[in-house]
Amino acid sequence: MSFIEDYKNQDFLELQERFVANFDRSRAHCLNLFEYIHGESHDRGQAMVDLIDMYAKKNLFLDKKELPDYLPLFLEYLSLCDTEEAIASLGDTIDIIALIGGHLKKNKSPYRAIFLALEELSSIKANQFKVAEVIENSPKEPEILDELWQEQEAFSGESSECSTCETNATLTTRRYIMNTFLDQFFSATTLILL
């Protein structure tokens, strides 16, 4: 069954849940393009400003709540460009699009079809070797993060002492593990751009 047929046959709320599960709850499927290039660095801010200026030249103006590097918004911008310009601009992002698509394929997401279509439209082909390498070296996510941030039961009934408060050492360890995970993820994704 094609993606479109599957999409047409789903309940609207189920489609929303599927989208949120795929893109809002997984850093590997993040739809913010500069997240893969700049992470949280200051360079991301200037890149966002440059993108906003580029959009404005095509009379595409953003709501204050919108991030300009959001892939669906970038695709909307491409729809305002002439064909050659759109294909060239799509090619500038193709490795990131292929990376997101590769993660979606690995996770058996039906949204993979959209990313395959975008890859086909691009005149520049993704570096599949680097994309595969980044996917292979990406840390596992939600299970590790869920375990790290799982809250302890407030009242276990076994003791009258409060054992739910975390020590500074525990919090420091969690922060270290979380930062290590994020560093590994974003350094792995930047390999594509080298």
Side-chain angles (χ1 to χ4, degrees):
M1 178 181 291
S2 74
F3 177 80
I4 300 296
E5 289 301 315
D6 179 48
Y7 196 85
K8 287 186 339 187
N9 293 326
Q10 294 290 323
D11 175 68
F12 184 69
L13 287 176
E14 289 175 12
L15 290 172
Q16 288 179 322
E17 288 175 15
R18 181 193 296 177
F19 186 88
V20 168
N22 274 274
F23 298 110
D24 294 346
R25 293 193 181 139
S26 174
R27 291 187 73 93
H29 306 158
C30 178
L31 294 177
N32 295 100
L33 301 171
F34 291 157
E35 188 82 14
Y36 298 94
I37 301 168
H38 302 295
E40 297 298 324
S41 77
H42 293 291
D43 295 337
R44 185 175 184 195
Q46 184 58 52
M48 296 273 207
V49 169
D50 294 343
L51 205 51
I52 289 170
D53 292 343
M54 188 173 81
Y55 291 169
K57 290 177 184 171
K58 297 289 183 188
N59 293 318
L60 178 61
F61 301 99
L62 309 183
D63 182 293
K64 291 180 181 180
K65 297 176 186 176
E66 293 177 296
L67 293 176
D69 66 334
Y70 184 57
L71 180 59
L73 184 60
F74 179 71
L75 295 174
E76 182 178 345
Y77 160 77
L78 294 182
S79 74
L80 301 172
C81 298
D82 63 63
T83 304
E84 287 182 23
E85 183 182 2
I87 290 172
S89 294
L90 181 62
D92 292 341
T93 62
I94 203 61
D95 284 338
I96 297 168
I97 289 169
L99 175 64
I100 298 168
H103 280 293
L104 290 167
K105 179 181 178 183
K106 180 179 176 182
N107 295 325
K108 298 180 174 90
S109 170
Y111 288 102
R112 170 68 174 136
I114 294 170
F115 288 80
L116 280 174
L118 290 171
E119 286 183 63
E120 287 298 317
L121 288 171
S122 175
S123 61
I124 298 172
K125 298 305 168 201
N127 184 329
Q128 294 299 331
F129 175 75
K130 284 187 178 180
V131 169
E133 183 179 17
V134 170
I135 291 169
E136 180 69 30
N137 293 322
S138 293
K140 289 184 180 176
E141 58 170 290
E143 301 86 25
I144 293 172
L145 297 177
D146 287 347
E147 286 178 24
L148 289 174
W149 293 101
Q150 186 176 11
E151 292 186 33
Q152 298 175 7
E153 289 184 35
F155 303 101
S156 64
E158 296 175 5
S159 171
S160 61
E161 290 184 37
C162 177
S163 62
T164 60
C165 299
E166 297 179 296
T167 65
N168 284 339
T170 305
L171 287 174
T172 302
T173 302
R174 281 189 180 186
R175 286 186 188 117
Y176 171 77
I177 292 170
M178 177 63 117
N179 288 335
T180 301
F181 168 79
L182 293 174
D183 288 344
Q184 287 175 349
F185 179 79
F186 288 113
S187 61
T189 57
T190 55
L191 284 175
I192 287 178
L193 303 172
L194 299 177

